[in-house]
Amino acid sequence: MIDRKAFRSLSSGLYLITARNGNGKFGCVANTLVQVASEPPTLAVSLNKENATTAAILSSGRFAATVLTEAAPMELIGTFGFHSSTDIDKFADCNHALDGSEVPYVAEHGLARFSVFVTETIDVGSHYLFVGTVEEAEVLAAGEPLTYAYYHAVKGGKTPPKAATYNGGDEASPAGVTETAAGAPTAGKKIAWRCMLCGYIEEGYPDGLPADYRCPICGAAPDMFERIEL
């Protein structure tokens, strides 16, 4: 028996993993970046086999990582976490730079960044575990790192289906948020709508979101929103 709620107790951060393949720039969100050795300094990250970023790392043998701050906007997380690099240029609206191997990394809303040369790729089922030696490391700013718990509890974020920690959408509601059926009495509470894909909350529209509404984070249509009370 596996109780999926048990996985909620595992703590981790939230990171942007980026790569380059030829002239193409790729990136995604991950919460599985960990240091696994001190000498040589070694990091490991688990990425879904279907990600375009994964294919770029397999081809190039390198990746970069940015440690996000608590202040990182949901728009940035949504761009890298809920869209494919084959469909949009994820770097178009954010400050980014190239490391010594010309791998792009996000240079804003980050505490630190790393450049990693992959030394081992391990097949772990739905994901590949990339293990590599850190070739560059730099502190970008001061602040508090964005943890996965903070992302869920405070920012109201959701776990993308391709994430290593996706458990069939079994996630607790953010603090202070109550789900309610459409048309139910609100007893003076504020009505809002929460995207079931990325967790974005749109306030207002007590009678329902307009038919042409699209989530500003992930582009989801109104039928992917659930009614909540704040």
Side-chain angles (χ1 to χ4, degrees):
M1 187 274 291
I2 296 179
D3 184 350
R4 293 288 182 176
K5 295 182 180 64
F7 292 94
R8 295 179 187 170
S9 62
L10 298 175
S11 179
S12 59
L14 208 63
Y15 315 95
L16 298 184
I17 307 300
T18 50
R20 182 172 189 146
N21 188 11
N23 292 324
K25 294 180 292 186
F26 301 83
C28 64
V29 175
N31 73 319
T32 55
L33 183 72
V34 293
Q35 182 176 358
V36 294
S38 58
E39 192 57 45
T42 304
L43 298 181
V45 68
S46 176
L47 297 180
N48 192 286
K49 291 178 178 178
E50 297 180 3
N51 279 356
T53 305
T54 302
I57 296 174
L58 287 171
S59 176
S60 67
R62 295 180 179 276
F63 69 87
T66 298
V67 181
L68 292 175
T69 71
E70 285 185 345
M74 285 296 289
E75 288 78 7
L76 177 65
I77 298 171
T79 296
F80 278 84
F82 292 91
H83 296 276
S84 172
S85 295
T86 59
D87 298 329
I88 66 170
D89 179 2
K90 297 185 177 184
F91 297 84
D93 297 321
C94 67
N95 181 23
H96 62 282
L98 301 179
D99 66 13
S101 298
E102 298 192 337
V103 176
Y105 64 89
V106 176
E108 63 180 17
H109 303 296
L111 295 180
R113 61 98 179 175
F114 301 90
S115 295
V116 181
F117 173 72
V118 177
T119 56
E120 188 174 4
T121 301
I122 304 171
D123 188 327
V124 289
S126 60
H127 288 58
Y128 285 121
L129 181 67
F130 295 108
V131 182
T133 303
V134 176
E135 295 185 325
E136 298 178 24
E138 178 186 7
V139 174
L140 299 176
E144 294 296 325
L146 174 58
T147 66
Y148 214 38
Y150 188 96
Y151 167 70
H152 284 295
V154 179
K155 290 181 175 289
K158 294 286 188 177
T159 303
K162 289 184 180 180
T165 52
Y166 182 73
N167 290 299
D170 179 25
E171 300 174 275
S173 297
V177 173
T178 303
E179 298 178 12
T180 181
T186 63
K189 290 188 176 182
K190 185 183 297 184
I191 293 300
W193 300 87
R194 181 173 59 203
C195 179
M196 293 184 287
L197 291 181
C198 71
Y200 175 77
I201 294 178
E202 179 69 65
E203 297 183 14
Y205 300 101
D207 297 324
L209 294 171
D212 60 351
Y213 180 89
R214 293 296 180 270
C215 177
I217 303 298
C218 68
D223 60 352
M224 292 305 297
F225 279 74
E226 58 187 352
R227 182 187 175 104
I228 60 174
E229 294 178 355
L230 301 178

